[in-house]
Amino acid sequence: MANQILIVEDDLEIVDLLEIHMKDLNAEVESVNDGLSALEKAQHKDYDLILLDLSIPKLNGVEVCRELRKTKNTPIIMVTAKTEEIDKVLGLEIGADDYITKPFSIRELKARAKAVMRRSDAANQQTNDSKTAELDFGDLKINVEMRRVTLEGKKIDLSPKEFELLVLLANYPGRSYSRSELLDVIWGYNFSGYEHTVNSHINRLRAKIEPDMGNPIYILTTWGIGYRFNEDI
């Protein structure tokens, strides 16, 4: 089956270039030139990859990514002319899977696109192959197949990356993961050196599932190493 790729870019010459080369990846390609159109399409169709320009009209790439990550785990590569490190950090924080700056090598973009889609397929397979369809920790229950988390019977809304972190840790209670390991498994090797984003996601995850942020009972800190799921629950 052909991959479904959405290009979000307002420069028509770049759109034409991207369409030609993304079709080389056995893909069916659609394109839009503004953020609102991108959001509407992506919310109503499951794409295998979105190439999302940062500077687009009506709704910029950051806002599109942030809105999509509330409900969708679609792989996203942000494309931008900006090179400041803060943009890459921001992309990580809101859930982008990779980041490439203009001007870029077509060979590099195709390699990154293939890598992101492979990682997405592998993550979905890992979820499907989880040790059990539901992880039960008393008040906290994680339905892996349905990607649903409840705490004391109430549904907890997690971002895709927060959910992936929780499932990984909860599948192996007591095993400590370093920040670099979590970054590599959940985000991929391209983000080496941005371990602080793991801390941000762990903090947001704790804020949603821990009764007391100052004294967590589910996700514990292994001092000098990283994080683990409480093996005593």
Side-chain angles (χ1 to χ4, degrees):
M1 178 180 287
N3 291 313
Q4 303 293 315
I5 296 179
L6 177 64
I7 296 170
V8 187
E9 168 65 62
D10 62 341
D11 186 322
L12 296 183
E13 291 185 2
I14 294 178
V15 170
D16 290 341
L17 181 67
L18 292 176
E19 285 183 346
I20 291 170
H21 291 285
M22 289 300 102
K23 287 177 180 177
D24 289 343
L25 303 181
N26 185 33
E28 294 180 0
V29 181
E30 299 177 44
S31 64
V32 293
N33 59 15
D34 69 82
L36 288 177
S37 298
L39 194 57
E40 182 178 1
K41 270 188 170 292
Q43 286 177 332
H44 292 90
K45 181 174 179 177
D46 291 327
Y47 291 95
D48 297 290
L49 175 66
I50 298 176
L51 297 178
L52 179 61
D53 189 69
L54 192 64
S55 301
I56 46 177
K58 297 186 180 179
L59 203 65
N60 67 40
V62 169
E63 294 168 323
V64 172
C65 186
R66 183 179 287 118
E67 286 301 310
L68 281 179
R69 281 296 176 254
K70 293 178 181 179
T71 57
K72 291 276 191 174
N73 197 29
T74 308
I76 295 174
I77 296 179
M78 282 196 159
V79 184
T80 178
K82 296 182 180 179
T83 57
E84 293 89 344
E85 180 176 329
I86 187 63
D87 290 328
K88 185 171 183 178
V89 173
L90 182 59
L92 272 171
E93 291 297 321
I94 62 175
D97 295 272
D98 205 347
Y99 188 101
I100 193 165
T101 57
K102 303 173 187 174
F104 49 79
S105 156
I106 288 296
R107 179 178 295 180
E108 180 185 7
L109 178 62
K110 289 169 72 173
R112 286 177 178 247
K114 288 191 286 188
V116 166
M117 289 189 287
R118 278 198 304 269
R119 273 186 38 239
S120 177
D121 288 342
N124 289 335
Q125 187 62 46
Q126 183 182 43
T127 297
N128 292 337
D129 293 343
S130 180
K131 293 189 296 184
T132 180
E134 183 166 276
L135 302 170
D136 190 336
F137 301 99
D139 290 338
L140 179 68
K141 293 178 173 55
I142 308 165
N143 190 307
V144 179
E145 184 176 0
M146 297 181 64
R147 299 183 70 89
R148 178 183 174 89
V149 177
T150 59
L151 184 65
E152 296 181 343
K154 297 179 180 178
K155 184 175 182 294
I156 304 298
D157 292 321
L158 300 181
S159 73
K161 289 292 188 284
E162 290 166 357
F163 181 82
E164 290 171 26
L165 277 170
L166 180 59
V167 170
L168 177 63
L169 294 171
N171 260 320
Y172 302 96
R175 176 177 173 178
S176 295
Y177 288 85
S178 70
R179 292 166 181 80
S180 59
E181 285 177 316
L182 291 173
L183 190 68
D184 187 55
V185 171
I186 303 299
W187 283 272
Y189 71 92
N190 286 328
F191 290 118
S192 176
Y194 289 84
E195 285 81 3
H196 54 276
T197 199
V198 174
N199 298 345
S200 299
H201 280 75
I202 289 291
N203 287 339
R204 287 198 291 269
L205 180 56
R206 280 174 167 167
K208 294 178 180 180
I209 68 171
E210 298 287 358
D212 179 3
M213 277 281 287
N215 186 31
I217 60 174
Y218 297 113
I219 298 178
L220 307 182
T221 298
T222 303
W223 298 107
I225 299 177
Y227 301 100
R228 72 184 190 278
F229 196 89
N230 192 345
E231 63 271 33
D232 294 326
I233 296 180

